[in-house]
Structures are given as structure tokens and as C-alpha cells.
């Protein structure tokens, strides 16, 4: 029961984030609804396609569709007010990612996939909606643009859930632990502005240069020593 | 039999619209063919993936592939002449959307999905090819850009087909009714240049401002009354 | 055994090509990994979704994921050195396309699809990863941009594999023949800089103009003959 309510909360947050981007892109009300639906339900649909569940559970549930519609309409009307809640939206989004990574992974475990596959499917469930949203509005996905470690929380949440679900802890606590860990990770990453490293310009050149410098220094050192004699 | 012929007509129209965009994007003949195939068959492939039909029926049918190839080649050679038939192409495209929304929904009903899922799958069948086309050529999909209510005809066509197919009318008439309704809707939308509403700039501010004005007017009114005394 | 090793080689090459584009797009290490994984494994995942294999085999295999991670990390660190091996990368990429078109088609034959579907699925396996990569980084896919016939090698490799696999040659030799043919085709196309034709500007106008010219020439010819008299 609690899981169902939390799940709708996750869908609502994701749908609202999609609707907000739709409004910013100056789409009409159907465009905004489409982006909201794809963002809110896309991760779950991709999960079901990968797990061979057909039709996807999101399609069978008028409740999720209603949640998406209400979220999209709310943002459509009150979008300027959402700017004031930027921090709250970030926290809610972190919660959505955390919950979906854990619940997606658990669903894969139920279907009987390997631990590796379940972890990957959890990550896909959590991040798939956002990637589809960004592809639809023709932007480079925020996920690969980086910024505050979006992938790490989803990975840790899904991984811990899978590991614990196969232990004696039980699935419920596995879900809670995975969600809390992923949520904490993301909140800390946003709070401390943590970022993943970028590709170094030229490791080989840098190495070669530092070796040459060391060599020259040794050389100079030996020359200096020669003079001193 | 008629349905099969109409279905190929729908594939041909969609493939031609994809090929036309491919030519405009200055793609070579294989690029044009790829965009045409994705536009003509993409909606049906997505429908089959969502319904768990594998491999997708479009892949099994050399007839559809031939239709796509002929449509793509025709556009490839005679694309400047298509500009003259812009109105005819719009009408044919409206027909393709209408037919696919109804037939996609009916196929989902056959597989045994809920009414909500069948309606959504009908919409996806009708609009999926165009969205995939626009994503492939790196444009914001026409669907979410709006313009003459693309989503409403598909929604009404799929919804009516699902509702009627479960009534005593029978599936054949459900398909006809859904197609005709969706087609009519789209043609009227293009003809009267109907558009969906865009997000208001700031509902709360507008409301606050109109309240303030009313308040000030009342205030001024009372002041006037005071003066009159 | 050899096929497994070759398959990992194909995944590694594709993942490296994806990682290279990720580095060029200035993504962080997780972004680079994501693009690498989608490029290396995307074609196979799409193949499995189309064939109804769930979860996709790539998700179940920590070996492929390790290959992707190693390839991505290598490119992440040594990317400037890869520029020096552009020719080698092209050859390896041609090998990856060739192998995946043949092995994807063979896998579809095993599942029992028609010959047409198996060929299409082979092409999708070979080219799907690259298309997903380009969509993710928000570029028009290289596939439809053309340039040295990317589609033809995949088509020939998949087609020959399917045809031979149903003959007395046997599946192993069908795979070898398809791979070699596709590889040879692509290498020759890159080497001789072969390209597919683009859409003619206006066939009807050109035809009309050449007819008019011929007519005028005939006319002039007859006038000349008149003068001569």
C-alpha cells in the first residue's frame, strides 16, 4: 500500500519535471502532456519491455495516467510558481530516482533475472524516463551531461536492493535500504556539488612531459655537479 | 481484404512523408529509405513490442517492405512534384493516422489488454512512426510541437474503436467509426486551423492582478462615493 | 568459442567508438560509459526486444559489461592516441558491423523468423547501436547521413548469412561467409570512397528540358534544312 502511494508520488514528480520542460519549450497542452507521460511512465515502460511484460503495467493502470494528467495540468497552469520551489523539486526528483531504481531492480529479481541484469534494469527504470524526455525535446540528455552524479545514486540504489533482497533481510527492507541509500547519495551530491571527473586532455603527453622534465632536471643536476667540481 | 489494402495505403503515405523529410535533409538513397521505413513501419513495430508480438509483423511481411521501398523511391525521384500536392498529402496523412489509431487499438483489444491500454496503444501506433522519424532526423517531433491537434484525432479514433468493439456494433463497424471520426477530426482541425492552448504566462500573477484591480476599483468607487457626499 | 571472443571484440570496438564520441562531447566519465554501453550493447538489446528474448542477453552477461567498461576507460584515458589509429578504428568498426549483421541474422533464424525478418534483424543488430549512440548525443545518425555505404554491407552480410544458413552449407560457414562479405564490402567502400546517390534536383524538369532542347534542335535542324534549300 505504502509502496503504491510512493510509486504514484514518483510518477507525479517525474511527470511534473517533464511538463515543466515542455512548458519551457513552449509546447501546447498536448505536447506538455506527452512529455509528462513519457517522463513519468517511460522508465517503467522500458523496464517492462526489457522484462517481457506486455502490455506494460503503466498502460493498464488508469491511476498512473490520472496522476500524470493532474501533474501535467498543475504545471501547465502554475509553472511560474514552480521556479520558487526549485530546491523542493530537486529533492523530490532525487526521491523518484531512488525509489524507481530500487523498485525496478526488485521487479527484475521477481521475474528471475541475474543480479547484474536486475541492477541494470533498476538503473534503466530510474533514469529511462528522463533520457526519453530529453530525446523527445531534442536535448542532450541531462544524464550523460553529468552534473551532480545522476548515475551513481541509481547504481547504488539498485545494487544494494538486489544484494539485500537475496539475503535474509527480506525484500521490503532491501527496498527501503536501496531507496534511502540512493536518495542520500543524490542529496549529498547536489548539496556538496559533487561531480564526476572529465577525460584528461592527454595522459600520454603529460606523462612524457613530466618524464622529460625529470630527465632534464637530473641532467641539469649532473651538470651542476660537474661545475661544482 | 479491404483492411489490408487500406493498411498498405497508410504505410505508403507515412513512408512517403518520411522520405520527403529525408530528401529535404539531403540524405542519400539509403538514408531516405531508412527514414521512410521507420516512419511507415515504426508505429506498428512499437505496437508489437508493447503487445509482446515477436518478431514484429512488419518484419515478417515483404509486402510492407515493398510498399515502403516503392514509396521511398517515388519520392526520391519525384520529390519536387510532391510540393504541388501538399494538400493531398495532408489529407492522406490524416487518413493514415486515423486508420492506424483504430486498427492499432483493435489489435490490442484482440490481445486482451484493458480498454485504457488499448486506447494508448492505438495512439502509439498512429503517432509512433512520426515521432521516430523526427527523432531520427534530429528535430523536435511535430507531435509535441502541436499544430492542428495531432493527438486529439488519434485519441478519439482509438477510444471510439475500443468502446464500440466491446459493444454489440461489432469490430468491423468499430474500426470504420473510429477511422472516420479521427479522419474527420483531423481534416476539420487542419481546415479551420484549430490549435490547442499554450501554457498561460502566469495564472497566479494574473489572478492577483485582477483581484487587486477589482479591489482598487472598489476602493476608488468608495472614494468617489465619499466625494459625492 | 571463437565466436564468443569475436563477439566481445565487436562489443569492444563499438563501445570504444561510442566512448570516443562521448569524450569529444566533453561528457564526464559516467556519460562516456553510458554512451559506450549503449553503442556496444544497444544493437543486441534491440535485437532481443524484437525477438522477444527477455531480459536481453547483454543484461545477463557481466562479461560484456566488463568489456564495455574496459573499452570506455581505455578511451577515456588514452583518447588523443586513438586519433593516430583512425584507419585501424575504421577497419575494426567495419569488422564489428559485419560480425553483428551475420550473428544477429543467425540468431533470428534460430528463433524461427522468416528470411526477410531475419535479414532485417541482422541489419538492426549491426547498425542499431550506432543509431542509438547518435540519438543519445543529439546528432543526426551517421547511418542516414550516408558516407561510404554503411547500410549495404550490413544488408549483404545479413542476407547472405540467412540464405546460406538454410542451404546445405551449414550455419558456421554461413556466418563466416556473411561476415567476410560485409567486411569486404565496407572496406572497399571506405577505401574507394564509394557513396550512394543523392536525390536528383528535379527529374521531371530535367526530362522536360532535355525533351524541349531535342525538339528545338530538331526545329532548328529543319529550319537550317529549309535555308539550305
Amino acid at each position: 500500500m505504502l509502496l503504491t502511494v510512493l510509486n504514484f508520488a514518483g510518477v507525479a514528480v517525474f511527470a511534473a519535471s517533464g511538463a515543466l520542460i515542455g512548458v519551457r519549450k513552449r509546447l501546447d497542452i498536448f505536447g506538455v502532456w506527452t512529455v509528462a507521460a513519457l517522463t513519468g511512465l517511460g522508465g517503467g515502460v522500458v523496464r517492462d519491455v526489457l522484462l517481457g511484460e506486455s502490455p506494460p503495467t503503466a498502460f493498464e493502470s488508469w491511476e498512473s495516467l490520472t496522476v500524470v494528467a493532474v501533474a501535467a495540468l498543475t504545471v501547465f497552469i502554475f509553472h511560474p510558481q514552480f521556479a520558487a520551489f526549485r530546491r523542493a523539486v530537486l529533492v523530490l526528483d532525487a526521491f523518484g530516482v531512488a525509489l524507481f531504481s530500487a523498485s525496478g531492480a526488485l521487479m527484475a529479481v521477481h521475474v528471475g533475472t541475474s543480479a547484474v541484469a536486475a541492477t541494470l534494469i533498476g538503473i534503466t527504470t530510474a533514469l529511462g524516463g528522463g533520457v526519453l524526455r530529453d530525446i523527445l525535446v531534442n536535448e542532450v540528455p541531462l544524464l550523460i551531461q553529468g552534473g551532480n552524479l545522476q548515475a551513481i545514486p541509481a547504481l547504488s540504489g539498485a545494487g544494494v536492493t538486489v544484494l539485500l533482497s537475496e539475503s535474509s533481510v527480506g525484500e521490503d527492507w532491501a527496498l527501503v535500504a536501496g531507496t534511502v541509500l540512493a536518495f542520500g547519495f543524490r542529496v549529498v551530491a547536489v548539496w556538496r556539488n559533487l561531480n564526476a571527473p572529465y577525460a584528461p586532455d592527454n595522459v600520454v603527453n603529460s606523462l612524457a612531459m613530466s618524464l622529460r622534465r625529470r630527465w632534464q632536471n637530473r641532467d641539469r643536476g649532473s651538470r651542476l655537479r660537474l661545475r661544482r667540481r
Side-chain angles (χ1 to χ4, degrees), chain A:
Chain A
M1 179 58 207
L2 181 67
L3 183 58
T4 313
V5 172
L6 286 176
N7 194 41
F8 287 146
V11 169
V13 174
F14 278 7
S17 93
L20 209 53
I21 288 179
V23 169
R24 271 188 210 141
K25 287 266 170 180
R26 310 208 157 276
L27 308 180
D28 68 18
I29 192 164
F30 296 112
V32 169
W33 185 86
T34 306
V35 180
L38 206 72
T39 315
L41 308 174
V45 170
V46 172
R47 176 201 63 209
D48 290 348
V49 166
L50 293 177
L51 290 177
E53 303 275 323
S54 60
T57 48
F59 277 55
E60 294 282 13
S61 139
W62 61 265
E63 293 98 333
S64 334
L65 291 166
T66 311
V67 168
V68 166
V70 169
L73 198 65
T74 309
V75 169
F76 191 76
I77 299 175
F78 298 108
H79 60 94
Q81 279 67 45
F82 273 77
F85 299 115
R86 201 183 148 273
R87 196 174 289 265
V89 170
L90 266 178
V91 170
L92 283 171
D93 184 78
F95 172 72
V97 167
L99 182 68
F100 283 164
S101 67
S103 69
L106 202 55
M107 230 168 278
V109 168
H110 278 176
V111 173
T113 68
S114 71
V116 174
T119 306
L120 281 173
I121 284 170
I123 298 172
T124 310
T125 312
L127 305 176
V131 170
L132 289 176
R133 173 197 66 204
D134 295 339
I135 289 176
L136 195 67
V137 299
N138 205 16
E139 301 275 351
V140 175
L142 278 179
L143 170 64
I144 65 169
Q145 276 185 45
N148 303 138
L149 305 180
Q150 302 209 39
I152 292 279
L155 171 60
S156 61
V160 164
T161 304
V162 170
L163 286 180
L164 289 185
S165 74
E166 287 168 358
S167 74
S168 60
V169 174
E171 294 192 347
D172 290 352
W173 287 108
L175 187 80
V176 171
T179 305
V180 167
L181 183 68
F183 182 66
F185 230 130
R186 177 93 173 111
V187 166
V188 168
V190 171
W191 178 38
R192 311 291 308 189
N193 201 19
L194 299 180
N195 284 297
Y198 288 80
D201 265 355
N202 200 329
V203 169
V204 173
N205 276 10
S206 313
L207 270 179
M209 214 171 286
S210 76
L211 281 175
R212 197 189 301 162
R213 249 183 243 137
R214 184 170 295 184
W215 183 260
Q216 287 174 337
N217 286 349
R218 211 193 55 168
D219 214 43
R220 204 178 298 156
S222 60
R223 252 184 264 148
L224 287 175
R225 253 174 285 144
L226 281 175
R227 274 187 205 168
R228 272 178 205 156
R229 275 186 202 169

